[in-house]
Amino acid sequence: MRGPHVRFCERRGGAILRAYSTPTVVAAPVSPSPELSDRPRRRTFTAQDKLRILAETDRATETGGIGAILRREGLYSSALTDWRRQRDAGAFTALVPGKRGPKTAEPNPLSAEVTALQRDNARLTLRLTRAEAIIDIQKKVAALLGIPLRPSDGEP
């Protein structure tokens, strides 16, 4: 069994065990098909699809019924295992796809009030500093003019 298409033939005792042929070269299509994308996309299933498939597999009683469903849907049994675990953990909430990416922190309802209070505190601190400076100047003017001042409650 030697021909132009057979490269290697393995024989034992006159019987042919294996014959290796040259690979057939298939030319690439002239223009890419519009149905095929450049990059394959991962399939996503909605919560309703997952629940529908799980319900079908739960109802499958005949031998090979679950395997037929898996082949029809193009799934592996590990996907069913994950989906069952999710369903048992929290029904619909576990089957809803979560938002991807970094989680945004919820704004604190008191942050606006804290900002306003900090602004008021800074404004009042500035007014207090100015008032103390004015009082110091008044004391010096009174001392220069010789006007006696009464001591206040907080100062000696």
Side-chain angles (χ1 to χ4, degrees):
M1 182 165 180
R2 275 271 200 224
H5 63 282
V6 176
R7 287 179 112 181
F8 177 74
C9 184
E10 203 175 308
R11 296 177 185 222
R12 185 174 292 151
I16 297 174
L17 296 177
R18 292 187 200 120
Y20 301 99
S21 63
T22 58
T24 306
V25 177
V26 178
V30 177
S31 63
S33 173
E35 296 176 358
L36 298 176
S37 64
D38 294 338
R39 183 176 173 182
R41 289 187 44 125
R42 180 178 291 222
R43 290 184 308 163
T44 56
F45 293 92
T46 64
Q48 290 82 15
D49 289 338
K50 292 177 184 180
L51 288 175
R52 176 185 54 81
I53 294 169
L54 285 175
E56 286 182 38
T57 56
D58 291 342
R59 285 191 308 264
T61 57
E62 63 211 36
T63 304
I66 294 177
I69 294 170
L70 290 175
R71 282 189 298 278
R72 183 188 72 214
E73 299 291 339
L75 295 172
Y76 291 102
S77 60
S78 60
L80 283 182
T81 305
D82 293 340
W83 293 352
R84 284 184 182 128
R85 194 173 296 131
Q86 290 172 348
R87 179 185 62 186
D88 295 342
F92 293 106
T93 56
L95 294 176
V96 174
K99 182 181 174 188
R100 297 180 65 174
K103 308 299 181 230
T104 57
E106 292 185 21
N108 189 349
L110 299 176
S111 64
E113 185 179 350
V114 167
T115 305
L117 291 174
Q118 287 174 341
R119 195 177 319 117
D120 283 347
N121 189 1
R123 183 181 52 84
L124 293 173
T125 303
L126 181 63
R127 283 186 66 182
L128 176 63
T129 305
R130 288 179 184 164
E132 287 175 344
I134 291 172
I135 291 172
D136 286 342
I137 291 173
Q138 287 175 345
K139 286 181 183 177
K140 290 178 183 177
V141 167
L144 287 174
L145 296 176
I147 302 171
L149 296 176
R150 289 183 302 184
S152 64
D153 296 338
E155 291 185 35

